[in-house]
Amino acid sequence: QVQLVESGGGLVQPGGSLRLSCAASGITFKIYRMAWYRQGPGKQRELVAAITPAGATNYADSMKGRFTISRDNAKNTAALQMNSLKPEDTAVYYCNAGYSRSDYWGQGTQVTVSS
């Protein structure tokens, strides 16, 4: 079966960094668009960043310049490097894999930015 397993979340101080990872199995990873979404307390889920199979990226405006999405097709993994973290980045971060009508989600990893 398809599994997306996130890791790397945790508690970090404002201005700090975290790197999230998503390990995928059960899919032909290299053909999937990979993305990170987040859902903060009392908020709707929102797109953070996405990367196409060819490596083209796009970011939500508030993440540009601070977050970097990447993928390793040989290892079936995607990552999100988050720098200059702010308290408003506190959320559960979800890995997403999409191709045609297929759409899969991980279970989420909590990121808390607080002093």
Side-chain angles (χ1 to χ4, degrees):
Q1 72 277 23
V2 177
Q3 281 193 312
L4 299 178
V5 180
E6 300 102 333
S7 61
L11 173 64
V12 63
Q13 293 187 341
S17 298
L18 280 176
R19 183 176 178 86
L20 306 182
S21 294
C22 174
S25 59
I27 60 173
T28 305
F29 182 82
K30 64 181 180 180
I31 69 172
Y32 277 74
R33 166 190 179 270
M34 299 300 297
W36 289 92
Y37 287 75
R38 71 183 186 186
Q39 187 166 16
K43 298 181 181 179
Q44 290 188 331
R45 191 173 295 190
E46 62 176 348
L47 176 69
V48 174
I51 185 166
T52 69
T57 58
N58 69 282
Y59 298 89
D61 286 344
S62 61
M63 286 63 145
K64 288 180 181 177
R66 298 190 300 126
F67 292 7
T68 303
I69 189 171
S70 61
R71 65 189 296 155
D72 186 333
N73 289 340
K75 296 182 178 179
N76 289 1
T77 58
L80 184 69
Q81 177 67 42
M82 304 186 294
N83 299 326
S84 303
L85 284 161
K86 306 174 182 180
E88 51 264 43
D89 293 318
T90 295
V92 178
Y93 284 71
Y94 297 90
C95 178
N96 171 261
Y99 174 75
S100 184
R101 297 179 182 176
S102 298
D103 191 49
Y104 302 107
W105 294 88
Q107 82 288 351
T109 185
Q110 177 70 46
V111 172
T112 302
V113 185
S114 175
S115 55

